[in-house]
Amino acid sequence: MLYVVATPIGNLDDISMRALKTLENAELIAAEDTRHTLGLLEHFGIKKPLVSYFEHNKLSRGPELIAKLKEGADIALVSDAGMPGICDPGYELIRDCIDAGIEVTVIPGPCACVTALVLSGLPTDVFVFEGFIGTENKQRKAFFDRLGRERRTTICYEAPHRMQKTLSEIEALFGDAGTPDRRISVCRELTKTHEEVLRGTASELKDHFGENAPRGEFVLCIEGSDKAPGSADVKGNASEITGASAGCSGLASENEMRAYYYELTNSGSLPKEAMKALQNRFGITRNEAYRIVKLPEKL
Ligand code: SAM
């Protein structure tokens, strides 16, 4: 049986009893980053064989895992943080298990998008999760087109170094659409020591981040438009920025990105492939990826 196990997104106390039991009982743990998961297992005193399952080996590793599962193995699937399959590897393995008639279950737990939505104070009755906004112009344009017309609360992941650009684009979009007061919640470092929620309009938040550089991990929640055709009035009180800026080194996430790159190349990915995976995984541009890994531009 495949056990899809959610793990903490920052605070290790958020691991569930069931997640720990499942990891203890599994014959094998398939992890996005084996070194990262080893740290988690060591923290909880669990010793288990680990095998990597990530973006760039999923095509070869997936069938190997399926073969073991067919033989009756109990395998746990984890990602670096949160729910596997949500902007993390997992979907294809789950789909292939289902197609192969292998039983799959989820051990629920932390997930940044749902945590942020609830904390945002924005309507939770209907919402849409957009994953990473992305870096490609075409992809971003399509996202902003949808956002302008969206009546549900939109949740998305964004990298800290693109926060200002994104807020500027939202500010322009909402200005043009005549809804400059659509509320946004920026949820930062959820469940961690420096957890912070900033609530305001795009322009208020842009001003805030102009003075306090965005650092750490972020989820954006954006109020739906009540000007879109057929929408209900979902507006509440006037917005204001709340919360305080906190110091947490942005270098940490660049280190994480670098570590991810080397995890891939050490596991057999070609540098070029690892670069592409790095861009997809963290939603960064090619230039940013090269700067962070400090490689010459040409591979
Ligand atoms: N599978 C994860 C989940 O269940 O949320 C998401 C993995 S995705 C690769 C990583 C992104 O999720 C980060 O870049 C950030 O946007 C968001 N994220 C993860 N942990 C977070 C946290 N503690 N606070 C804010 N955002 C977080």
Side-chain angles (χ1 to χ4, degrees), residues 150-200:
E150 185 55 70
R151 286 180 281 142
R152 299 163 291 184
T153 301
T154 294
I155 314 167
C156 53
Y157 291 160
E158 187 54 293
H161 53 278
R162 265 203 314 277
M163 186 59 70
Q164 281 299 65
K165 176 175 158 60
T166 296
L167 289 170
S168 298
E169 285 171 301
I170 296 176
E171 185 184 24
L173 173 76
F174 290 176
D176 289 349
T179 54
D181 55 345
R182 271 172 75 177
R183 295 172 297 171
I184 301 177
S185 291
V186 176
C187 301
R188 170 179 172 268
E189 296 288 86
L190 291 164
T191 77
K192 303 183 195 176
T193 312
H194 298 298
E195 174 176 292
E196 179 181 46
V197 187
L198 299 155
R199 301 183 180 90

Side-chain angles (χ1 to χ4, degrees), residues 55 256-264 277-278 281-282:
E55 195 54 31
E256 235 175 72
M257 293 185 203
R258 218 168 284 126
Y260 181 70
Y261 171 86
Y262 286 111
E263 162 77 10
L264 296 185
L278 183 66
R281 168 79 165 74
F282 293 96

Side-chain angles (χ1 to χ4, degrees), residues 10-297:
N11 188 327
L12 290 180
D13 286 350
D14 291 338
I15 193 110
S16 73
M17 292 299 291
R18 210 168 145 227
L20 289 177
K21 279 186 196 157
T22 304
L23 295 173
E24 264 162 14
N25 294 334
E27 286 158 59
L28 181 68
I29 299 174
E32 182 184 7
D33 177 340
T34 51
R35 279 177 306 183
H36 184 96
T37 299
L38 193 60
L40 180 82
L41 296 181
E42 276 172 359
H43 180 85
F44 291 107
I46 299 172
K47 276 195 179 144
K48 279 288 149 181
L50 281 165
V51 67
S52 65
Y53 178 79
F54 58 93
E55 195 54 31
H56 273 260
N57 75 354
K58 67 185 180 194
L59 292 183
S60 57
R61 186 51 51 79
E64 288 169 25
L65 293 172
I66 297 275
K68 284 191 201 306
L69 286 159
K70 275 186 173 162
E71 286 165 13
D74 281 335
I75 298 181
L77 173 70
V78 297
S79 62
D80 286 356
M83 185 62 82
I86 302 298
C87 288
D88 268 343
Y91 159 69
E92 287 90 347
L93 184 61
I94 294 163
R95 179 200 59 200
D96 293 348
C97 281
I98 294 165
D99 288 350
I102 296 162
E103 222 181 322
V104 180
T105 193
V106 171
I107 312 301
C111 182
C113 59
V114 174
T115 308
L117 171 67
V118 173
L119 195 51
S120 72
L122 296 174
T124 53
D125 50 349
V126 283
F127 59 89
V128 54
F129 175 54
E130 286 271 2
F132 280 105
I133 299 174
T135 54
E136 306 288 327
N137 284 342
K138 206 172 148 196
Q139 192 184 5
R140 288 181 74 85
K141 185 180 175 313
F143 166 77
F144 289 114
D145 281 351
R146 287 192 298 278
L147 183 64
R149 289 179 275 115
E150 185 55 70
R151 286 180 281 142
R152 299 163 291 184
T153 301
T154 294
I155 314 167
C156 53
Y157 291 160
E158 187 54 293
H161 53 278
R162 265 203 314 277
M163 186 59 70
Q164 281 299 65
K165 176 175 158 60
T166 296
L167 289 170
S168 298
E169 285 171 301
I170 296 176
E171 185 184 24
L173 173 76
F174 290 176
D176 289 349
T179 54
D181 55 345
R182 271 172 75 177
R183 295 172 297 171
I184 301 177
S185 291
V186 176
C187 301
R188 170 179 172 268
E189 296 288 86
L190 291 164
T191 77
K192 303 183 195 176
T193 312
H194 298 298
E195 174 176 292
E196 179 181 46
V197 187
L198 299 155
R199 301 183 180 90
T201 61
S203 124
E204 287 166 341
L205 290 164
K206 212 186 72 182
D207 289 349
H208 171 83
F209 287 120
E211 287 165 22
N212 309 276
R215 294 199 166 101
E217 294 193 285
F218 287 90
V219 184
L220 278 169
C221 298
I222 305 154
E223 183 179 27
S225 170
D226 62 3
K227 297 251 178 5
S231 68
D233 184 358
V234 292
K235 296 268 187 219
N237 295 330
S239 57
E240 85 183 92
I241 292 195
T242 55
S245 75
C248 173
S249 175
L251 285 176
S253 59
E254 293 201 355
N255 284 339
E256 235 175 72
M257 293 185 203
R258 218 168 284 126
Y260 181 70
Y261 171 86
Y262 286 111
E263 162 77 10
L264 296 185
T265 49
N266 291 340
S267 313
S269 291
L270 294 172
K272 211 170 169 177
E273 290 169 349
M275 268 300 168
K276 193 73 204 155
L278 183 66
Q279 290 164 51
N280 293 338
R281 168 79 165 74
F282 293 96
I284 55 175
T285 62
R286 191 172 173 279
N287 285 347
E288 285 162 350
Y290 277 83
R291 181 186 60 74
I292 288 162
V293 178
K294 296 192 173 63
L295 284 179
E297 261 297 312

